[in-house]
Every structure is written in C-alpha cells, then in structure tokens.
Amino acid sequence: MLVAFSVAPSGTGESVAEAVADAVAVVRASGLPNSTDSMFTTIEGEWEECFDVVRRACEAVGRHGNRVSLVLKADIRPGHTGEITGKVERLEAALTRQQEQ
C-alpha cells in the first residue's frame, strides 16, 4: 500500500519546518520506501508498518505543540510493490508517448 500524509502542529506559529523535519526523520529511519515533496510524504509498505510510521510521525510532531493536524490518503492494492516509483514511471511513459504523437 501507499500512504501519502501531511502532519503538522497547530497553533505553534508561522513555521513548522522543525516539527515536519522530526516527522520526516521518523519516516526515513523506518526503512520503508519513501518520498517527500513540498506537500506530502509518501511511504510504501504493509498496512501495520505504514500506520505505525504515521503514528510515530504524529507523536514526533506532537512534541512541538499540543495539537496535531494529519491529512492522509492511502492506495490499498494488495499484491503490488514498487508502486512508489512504478506509478510515476508509468505516468512519464504515457506523457512521452503523447509527446511522440
């Protein structure tokens, strides 16, 4: 499964960079395939391991304030792995084919 999530403390001021860095450090230490962009961090793994990482990332952010905001989207597709890069590779291939037409 793929889980894309965004986690941030609420009511702690304008910048949340340090809190988000703590969450991303949890993700990277997990050993799960992951990718972080300006809006979300995506992880790939089994249900239990993904949601354990999300929980621990929320706990890390929670140390920066008394309230945590979590946005989460999951793609649950049993039997498929490598989709964190595979989906993007298929998209890029489709775009290349379109440009060649």
Side-chain angles (χ1 to χ4, degrees):
M1 81 181 309
L2 294 174
V3 176
F5 71 101
S6 173
V7 60
S10 295
T12 59
E14 204 169 302
S15 178
V16 296
E18 293 300 320
V20 172
D22 286 349
V24 172
V26 167
V27 169
R28 292 183 179 172
S30 75
L32 295 179
N34 66 83
S35 172
T36 299
D37 61 36
S38 61
M39 296 290 292
F40 288 93
T41 293
T42 303
I43 56 178
E44 182 172 20
E46 297 299 320
W47 185 278
E48 293 82 11
E49 58 191 358
C50 286
F51 281 91
D52 177 61
V53 170
V54 171
R55 177 187 54 79
R56 291 186 292 117
C58 288
E59 289 170 352
V61 167
R63 291 191 284 275
H64 291 268
N66 59 3
R67 192 172 197 175
V68 174
S69 173
L70 171 67
V71 176
L72 185 141
K73 182 175 182 178
D75 181 2
I76 303 163
R77 195 172 182 200
H80 289 80
T81 59
E83 291 298 289
I84 198 165
T85 55
K87 290 175 92 170
V88 176
E89 290 167 358
R90 290 189 298 276
L91 170 65
E92 292 297 334
L95 288 168
T96 299
R97 285 191 302 276
Q98 287 178 355
Q99 292 172 348
E100 292 171 348
Q101 294 177 352

